[in-house]
Amino acid sequence: QQPVQSPQAVILREGEDAVINCSSSKALYSVHWYRQKHGEAPVFLMILLKGGEQKGHEKISASFNEKKQQSSLYLTASQLSYSGTYFCGTLKTSYDKVIFGPGTSLSVIP
Amino acid sequence: DTAVSQTPKYLVTQMGNDKSIKCEQNLGHDTMYWYKQDSKKFLKIMFSYNNKELIINETVPNRFSPKSPDKAHLNLHINSLELGDSAVYFCASSRRGSGGQETQYFGPGTRLLVL
């Protein structure tokens, strides 16, 4: 079952912050986050495992609340290079396939 | 140096034709995947192979047939192409399993347009 992402699209000015949410109706083992720039392949950002962990990657971080079956991606002090479509991918078990959400389009403008 | 490569990058063809897309990874990964991304950017898994064995076969028309000659290669053959097959097809690979803790590395994609 495909996870739900919100918002569908967001426009930011450089330096602003954004939060992208990913939620599932099923219990989750892990959540993956990928970014895809226009015309390019999806690129890995981070994986979060159940246990409520939080991870960071420069100014991009994420959290995973397994009880709420949701993950959030935090982008702080956004840069033009953050523009793209952000996909979360969820797995119910460690050997499950990744089911990707519909994506959140993020545009950062000067 | 490219980790996951696909050929061709673009494919324009007529309805009813048969075509193949090739994928190779030089990362030493055990698992490879085919994804289809439609015009709405929905990224959907089609197949997954682990060490040349098919482990995931989603509800895909049997006109699509994957083949893995060795664990570094995964090709996709499509028979009797239809308009609805137009999409971007991504190959990906990961170290092992179906990816619970494994990063997937995507190829650059093959843009298929069926006329």
Side-chain angles (χ1 to χ4, degrees):
Chain A
Q1 192 150 1
Q2 188 183 31
V4 175
Q5 286 187 236
S6 63
Q8 209 171 7
V10 58
I11 300 175
L12 300 174
R13 291 202 177 275
E14 264 187 297
E16 290 182 338
D17 302 340
V19 180
I20 300 171
N21 298 303
C22 173
S23 62
S24 171
S25 60
K26 307 276 186 186
L28 298 175
Y29 171 79
S30 68
V31 178
H32 297 212
W33 285 98
Y34 286 78
R35 176 172 61 205
Q36 184 179 27
K37 299 199 176 201
H38 182 69
E40 297 181 9
V43 172
F44 169 77
L45 291 176
M46 62 191 81
I47 291 175
L48 299 107
L49 302 177
K50 67 177 183 179
E53 65 171 341
Q54 188 150 352
K55 278 196 174 180
H57 175 71
E58 296 180 346
K59 292 178 183 174
I60 300 175
S61 61
S63 63
F64 177 26
N65 185 325
E66 65 190 89
K67 283 185 181 174
K68 291 185 179 178
Q69 294 159 194
Q70 67 185 37
S71 176
S72 296
L73 186 72
Y74 307 94
L75 300 101
T76 57
S78 58
Q79 305 166 16
L80 295 176
S81 62
Y82 287 3
S83 293
T85 301
Y86 289 77
F87 292 96
C88 70
T90 56
L91 292 90
K92 298 194 296 289
T93 68
S94 62
Y95 286 98
D96 198 8
K97 58 183 182 280
V98 178
I99 306 289
F100 285 98
T104 294
S105 172
L106 185 134
S107 301
V108 182
I109 57 175
Chain B
D1 280 322
T2 306
V4 182
S5 59
Q6 290 179 232
T7 53
K9 190 168 181 181
Y10 298 96
L11 191 50
V12 181
T13 188
Q14 300 285 336
M15 262 174 50
N17 284 350
D18 303 338
K19 290 293 177 187
S20 291
I21 307 171
K22 295 187 174 183
C23 177
E24 177 181 0
Q25 54 94 3
N26 62 8
L27 297 167
H29 288 168
D30 289 336
T31 306
M32 296 183 73
Y33 313 81
W34 277 113
Y35 285 90
K36 179 181 179 180
Q37 188 171 45
D38 61 24
S39 56
K40 294 184 179 177
K41 293 206 161 185
F42 179 33
L43 196 59
K44 189 175 190 305
I45 191 165
M46 300 172 71
F47 303 103
S48 174
Y49 270 74
N50 187 52
N51 275 321
K52 302 193 298 174
E53 276 193 54
L54 182 65
I55 55 171
I56 293 174
N57 184 355
E58 289 298 288
T59 311
V60 174
N62 57 16
R63 298 182 294 104
F64 290 79
S65 51
K67 278 193 173 54
S68 182
D70 55 62
K71 73 174 193 177
H73 295 85
L74 179 61
N75 304 323
L76 183 66
H77 188 76
I78 316 170
N79 287 326
S80 304
L81 278 154
E82 300 178 357
L83 295 176
D85 297 334
S86 296
V88 182
Y89 292 84
F90 286 103
C91 174
S93 72
S94 66
R95 246 183 348 163
R96 57 179 168 78
S98 299
Q101 298 184 45
E102 301 296 338
T103 302
Q104 290 189 28
Y105 295 83
F106 284 79
T110 295
R111 285 136 190 88
L112 172 65
L113 177 61
V114 182
L115 302 174

